[in-house]
Amino acid sequence: MSKIYASMLSIGAYSPEKRLTNADLEKMVDTTDEWIVKRTGIKERRVAADDQAASDLGAIAARQAIERANLAIGDIDLIIAATLSGDFLFMPSTAAVIAGKLGALNIPAFDALAACSGFIYALATAKAYVESGMASNALIVGAEASSRFMDYSDRSVCVLFGDGAGAAVIGATDDPSKAIADVKISSDGAQWDNLYIDGGSKNPIREGKPHKPFMRMKGNETFKLAVRALSNDVIEILARNNLNASQIAHFVPHQANLRIIKAVGEAIGLREDQVVLTIDRYGNTSAASIPMAINDLYEAKRLKTGDLMLLDAFGGGLTWGSALVRFGGETPR
Ligand code: ACO
């Protein structure tokens, strides 16, 4: 029997219509377009409509990914959602809510909680399920309505994040030229306090108690940790797969900060044309940023069957990860 590989069969994404520009933020907090562009690369981000929760964005991206994989909802036998802004505080999972919206019933659905690294954690899990034969077609979704957890008086965080969703179908193939070659995920929970959203059992939200379940981040510390961890990570994943940077068709990093992306690209000697950037238009869409960026490549007709992508992400936990993914879907016409 030939070996089963997990393959990214398709990609889909959705970004809400409402734009929040740097000029808009200048009216809300003490900041400038110049500071935001220079320090982060972000020009605008999207914000979910009042009636859209993370699952609504995720379900739209998911339907597109399933259709592009030429599959029906009934073919999906696992759903993993990655989010830090799920519909509910802990239960039900956003994956279960998305499954309900899609009508994908009686299948396992759970969330991969790894903040901005969530999509890579979901990818690692789906790969293992598919390669072990426990799933045939896994849907992985990164979906964020993180604007709901933004303190729009905290200029150090609120200028960074945007809403959106991306999804991919991970299925089985016997063709190694379409395989997810490797996924590497890590964490350092001793440094959780660099980046968190309060309101859980450590400091629960209670009636009568003033509480702000907003995202808090030590930006500068996180920045340095991200550059170091990601540079080492991409060097290691390339080395253990006997690859060098020139063999990467597209570097699709988590879009947290243009300076982080450039530093990691330089650490492995990538050319600018290998680096996929969407941060100027969407900001940091957390677990959705990588699939949204892959979707951008796909819709620009720059993603071909078999193209080797290097993905990387860093986020709350702390968590980080990287992946080498050969696109297994059809080249868009
Ligand atoms: N506008 C103007 N000035 C600002 C703003 C703002 N929006 N935000 C901060 N500043 C000021 C600070 O107050 C500080 O002023 P001071 O020197 O007078 O004290 C100055 O700018 C520099 O602040 P730093 O925090 O040192 O700025 P830095 O260059 O580090 O950029 C940033 C901040 C953009 C947040 C950066 O540190 C970063 O991108 N961090 C990493 C983010 C990340 O990767 N997070 C992980 C993924 S996200 C997730 O998992 C949810």
Side-chain angles (χ1 to χ4, degrees), residues 170 258 291:
I170 310 300
L258 183 58

PDB file of all heavy atoms in Angstrom, residues 170 258 291:
ATOM      1  N   ILE A 170      -7.778  19.934   4.157  1.00  0.00           N
ATOM      2  CA  ILE A 170      -6.597  19.076   4.195  1.00  0.00           C
ATOM      3  C   ILE A 170      -7.070  17.641   3.937  1.00  0.00           C
ATOM      4  O   ILE A 170      -7.812  17.079   4.743  1.00  0.00           O
ATOM      5  CB  ILE A 170      -5.879  19.165   5.564  1.00  0.00           C
ATOM      6  CG1 ILE A 170      -5.633  20.636   5.989  1.00  0.00           C
ATOM      7  CG2 ILE A 170      -4.585  18.347   5.546  1.00  0.00           C
ATOM      8  CD1 ILE A 170      -4.773  21.452   5.054  1.00  0.00           C
ATOM      9  N   LEU A 258       5.553  44.060   9.790  1.00  0.00           N
ATOM     10  CA  LEU A 258       6.413  43.995   8.599  1.00  0.00           C
ATOM     11  C   LEU A 258       7.889  43.846   8.986  1.00  0.00           C
ATOM     12  O   LEU A 258       8.657  43.160   8.304  1.00  0.00           O
ATOM     13  CB  LEU A 258       6.203  45.263   7.753  1.00  0.00           C
ATOM     14  CG  LEU A 258       6.958  45.356   6.433  1.00  0.00           C
ATOM     15  CD1 LEU A 258       6.615  44.184   5.514  1.00  0.00           C
ATOM     16  CD2 LEU A 258       6.616  46.676   5.731  1.00  0.00           C
ATOM     17  N   PRO A 291      -3.981  31.806   6.258  1.00  0.00           N
ATOM     18  CA  PRO A 291      -4.867  31.375   5.161  1.00  0.00           C
ATOM     19  C   PRO A 291      -5.382  32.536   4.322  1.00  0.00           C
ATOM     20  O   PRO A 291      -5.593  32.383   3.105  1.00  0.00           O
ATOM     21  CB  PRO A 291      -6.008  30.637   5.879  1.00  0.00           C
ATOM     22  CG  PRO A 291      -5.957  31.110   7.297  1.00  0.00           C
ATOM     23  CD  PRO A 291      -4.509  31.390   7.575  1.00  0.00           C
TER      24      PRO A 291
END
